[in-house]
Amino acid sequence: MTDGSDKSLSFEKTWGSSTSSGYCSGDSDSEFEQYFTARTSFLHKPKKEKDEQVEWGKQQVDLSVTEIQQKVKEYNAQINSNLFMNLNKDGSYTGFIKVQFKLLRPVSVPPPRKGTATHDGACKKTGGVKRRTSFYLPKDTSKHLHISSRTCAREVIEALLKKFTVVDNPGKFALFERTKRHDQVFLRKLSDDERPLHLRLCAGPNDKALSLVLKENETGEVNWDAFSMPELKNFVRMLQREEEEHVKQIVQRYALARTRMQEAQAASPTPGGSTPG
């Protein structure tokens, strides 16, 4: 798979993100993964955009060779770039798809290589534990992929993660089809064996008619088995910090209420009608 012309990804810490406070949770535990923008609550499910409705059960329609040839011809006539579709002798075809990233959680990538060299020139790993750096992808990140009509959705997800050197389990992500009909946006999760280029061909090159979106694979429950041990330890520590902050806020709120009630009692007149003096 090859790249199309697209906006390059900037691997920056998203300090200004509304979903993170930008602290690094590395602390003194070198075996833990570092989360530059980690502060997120794992107890709340991500909300879908209010204009999106979820569709289920849509089946992919197969096309004959003649229909494919006609649609490829019509598709290429509508585009104003070099991202054409090309027919192959075996009846398959290749072309470009654009995938938008709408991830609410941080992704993990390998850290910069800072290993210390040993006497034989090999790099030494700290404690024998692999380290990873996690951060939020920039908003509105997108990527073009050159794929075949036989490439399935699962392979597209794996290719996207590989291009951004994301080391998270591909099962954490899902590819969605986003369409608009009658001023209403519909979002449909693609099955692993669906072919995104076929969807692109049938819808035409207009992204407003159909776009492909990479999101978290929400199944109603968090699949904790898909996380590594360092990630799970880090999540537990983050939850502990969040719990401690909530407890602190509650204690302060009750202390303030108690102080105000005591002040009100001191300022109130006594039962006999006289004020304390």
Side-chain angles (χ1 to χ4, degrees):
M1 298 183 185
T2 59
D3 292 323
S5 56
D6 60 354
K7 184 168 55 177
S8 61
L9 175 63
S10 174
F11 290 98
E12 297 176 351
K13 303 174 186 178
T14 54
W15 302 117
S17 172
S18 60
T19 55
S20 68
S21 64
Y23 72 76
C24 173
S25 61
D27 287 346
S28 59
D29 299 317
S30 60
E31 73 274 14
F32 286 157
E33 298 172 5
Q34 296 178 357
Y35 284 80
F36 289 117
T37 53
R39 181 62 187 287
T40 180
S41 175
F42 297 96
L43 302 179
H44 303 288
K45 296 179 181 179
K47 295 181 180 179
K48 65 180 176 67
E49 296 181 16
K50 51 182 181 177
D51 67 335
E52 291 180 346
Q53 299 294 325
V54 178
E55 276 192 323
W56 304 97
K58 187 175 179 181
Q59 293 185 347
Q60 189 165 287
V61 179
D62 290 327
L63 300 175
S64 66
V65 175
T66 303
E67 289 173 324
I68 291 174
Q69 292 174 344
Q70 182 62 30
K71 282 191 173 292
V72 168
K73 183 178 179 180
E74 294 172 354
Y75 184 97
N76 290 339
Q78 297 178 58
I79 62 175
N80 299 317
S81 64
N82 61 345
L83 305 181
F84 296 101
M85 288 201 186
N86 297 300
L87 283 167
N88 300 320
K89 292 181 180 180
D90 61 359
S92 65
Y93 51 96
T94 58
F96 291 88
I97 60 170
K98 179 183 178 182
V99 181
Q100 299 172 329
F101 289 71
K102 287 193 175 182
L103 302 176
L104 300 179
R105 302 191 184 104
V107 295
S108 301
V109 297
R113 294 185 178 180
K114 296 180 180 179
T116 57
T118 60
H119 64 279
D120 58 355
C123 285
K124 191 183 213 177
K125 290 182 182 177
T126 306
V129 178
K130 294 181 180 179
R131 295 169 62 85
R132 291 191 280 179
T133 300
S134 295
F135 63 96
Y136 290 95
L137 281 173
K139 213 174 180 184
D140 300 324
T141 296
S142 63
K143 190 74 174 176
H144 281 90
L145 288 179
H146 187 244
I147 64 173
S148 163
S149 57
R150 295 170 178 166
T151 305
C152 65
R154 179 52 50 188
E155 291 172 324
V156 168
I157 294 173
E158 293 172 352
L160 288 169
L161 299 183
K162 183 178 180 180
K163 284 188 176 295
F164 288 120
T165 65
V166 175
V167 294
D168 292 303
N169 189 325
K172 296 180 185 179
F173 307 94
L175 199 61
F176 287 80
E177 169 196 76
R178 192 173 186 267
T179 56
K180 188 174 182 180
R181 300 192 301 273
H182 309 296
D183 297 325
Q184 178 66 59
V185 175
F186 294 88
L187 198 66
R188 183 180 70 88
K189 179 181 174 181
L190 303 187
S191 62
D192 286 349
D193 58 353
E194 282 193 72
R195 295 164 289 154
L197 192 61
H198 176 87
L199 299 175
R200 181 79 278 163
L201 177 65
C202 293
N206 191 346
D207 285 337
K208 293 182 179 179
L210 179 143
S211 59
L212 296 171
V213 182
L214 184 71
K215 303 181 71 172
E216 281 87 3
N217 189 10
E218 297 297 338
T219 58
E221 296 291 337
V222 178
N223 182 18
W224 297 114
D225 292 336
F227 292 91
S228 66
M229 183 58 69
E231 284 178 314
L232 292 172
K233 289 181 178 180
N234 204 65
F235 293 158
V236 170
R237 185 168 51 178
M238 290 162 61
L239 283 173
Q240 183 177 355
R241 290 184 180 182
E242 189 172 298
E243 179 185 6
E244 290 171 352
E245 183 175 331
H246 282 307
V247 171
K248 181 179 178 180
Q249 292 174 353
I250 292 173
V251 170
Q252 290 176 341
R253 187 162 65 246
Y254 275 88
L256 179 60
R258 186 182 301 107
T259 299
R260 288 178 177 175
M261 285 187 285
Q262 291 172 344
E263 291 174 349
Q265 286 177 339
S268 298
T270 60
S274 61
T275 57

